[in-house]
Amino acid sequence: MKERYDVVIIGSGLGGLASAILMAKEGYKVCVLEKNNQFGGNLQTFVRDKTIFDTGIHYIGGLGEGQNLYKYFKYLGIMDELKLHKMDEDGFDIISFEEENEEYPHAQGYENFIHQLTQYFPEEKQAIKNYCEQIKTICNSFPLYNLQWEGQYDSEILALNAKQCIDAVTQNEKLRAVLAGSNFLYAGIADKSPFYVHALSVNSYIQSSWRCINGGSQITKHLIRQLKKNGGEIYKYKEVTSFETQDNAVTSVKMKDGSEVSADFFISNIDPKTTLKMVGEDKFRKSFIKRIDSLEGVVSAFSLYLVFKPETFPYINHNYYHFKNSRDVWKAYEYDDLTWPKAFMASMNVSGKSQVWADGMTFITYMKYDDLKPWENTFNTTAEKEDRGESYDAFKVRKTEKFLQQIELKFPGIRDCIQSIHSSTPLSYRDYIGGYNGNMYGYVKDSNNPMLSFIAPKTKLDNLYLTGQSINMHGVLGVTIGAVVTCAEILGKEYLVNKINQFSE
């Protein structure tokens, strides 16, 4: 590692890697620093019993030719390298409720989406059409979502509430629940989640839905290859502990191993709260620090990773969003010991081998960080291992059994197919992904106060920028666009967006 670069990026999540390539393609000397053993943040995968599991990327939307993420990935140089498997066109997501045996599909393509749901709600065809039109209208209002550098979204859009907008479409309670059923994608909160977050999340999957063959870490691998191809460098086990500043600018970052590196520009792809503490809160306005400190992290998750015995459980080419009852769709994170878990998302990896049988399956449900309070001062990563103790292990065993009982109600006989079970808690997400309190998607966005959680990519310091899921939007598409927004602050929005468009034509 050299002593100086043009751009130093802290954190190798998707936002950091995409920013690194965007800058390197412009001739900047770029260096990416990662504290952990594995690059990629939420793109990371891990292996248990020779079975690959994703930590955060279970499926991706908008990768059909000419669609928005396709164009961004094309410019980043990875689109043609990705090994993808298209999900079920007639139902990439299935919404289901324990109170009945019916399964409601979310289909790819708007015409097909309307057609498939109308079979279950024949009287509601116009309502479903209206819902789809609203989604498209909202998405068309965001310039960068559509690779346009000009234009500004109407700020009134930010104040529209997701639950209220969906409820206004129809009086049918079951249809309301079905349309909102994939709100796990943004951890929906009834009185807070904005409709634009729902629309931007759902739209890209309706356009096209894909699984990464053998996991999402291939995205990391190809991004790093492109970074190096453009002269960039990347290092692991480089945990940044402080930012050195002078005359309202960052001069260098210091690392845990004693090394130091300086640059003209610094882009932080780590949690904003953590970034501000490492820079020094006295370097920012008190009102700004107070606002960032007040931000509420999105709820975290408890996940089960099941490895199946060979040829026992069929491969399923869609995801499930399953609820104990339809009334829980906006309240699944409100639970106590008796009612947990109220809902779960189920997904499986696709391997390059057989599509007939599944190697494994991932089940994710909400879990509050406070449930892990007894162990919050323990830290366990590949770089620094620590045993959280027997009580933690007992907690995981108890929660695993309770979750499995719920899963069995939806998938009778699944237990007989299991070879091994592995789990992760909010502490796992905190330590390996780096999110504040293990949150799934950055900070809560509130339709009642849209600007509260708005964090500009350009900070008050002259050469410090922010990127990642807490800036703009979360998700693969959201974070990729966020990287463009961050780099556009340095390179110019018109210049950068035009270049991306020209490349993908």
Side-chain angles (χ1 to χ4, degrees), residues 55-86:
T55 54
I57 306 303
H58 302 288
Y59 62 144
I60 308 176
L63 284 180
E65 190 166 353
Q67 292 170 359
N68 49 12
L69 189 57
Y70 175 95
K71 289 182 178 180
Y72 282 117
F73 274 9
K74 193 87 173 165
Y75 183 73
L76 292 171
I78 68 169
M79 190 60 230
D80 297 337
E81 306 299 322
L82 296 180
K83 291 182 171 60
L84 302 167
H85 179 82
K86 196 163 196 186

Side-chain angles (χ1 to χ4, degrees), residues 3 64 180-181 219 243 251 259 263 332 353 359 417 440 450 484 499:
E3 290 182 3
I219 298 173
F243 290 71
T251 53
S259 55
K353 300 177 292 182
D359 294 334
C417 306
M440 290 199 288
V484 172
K499 202 163 183 186

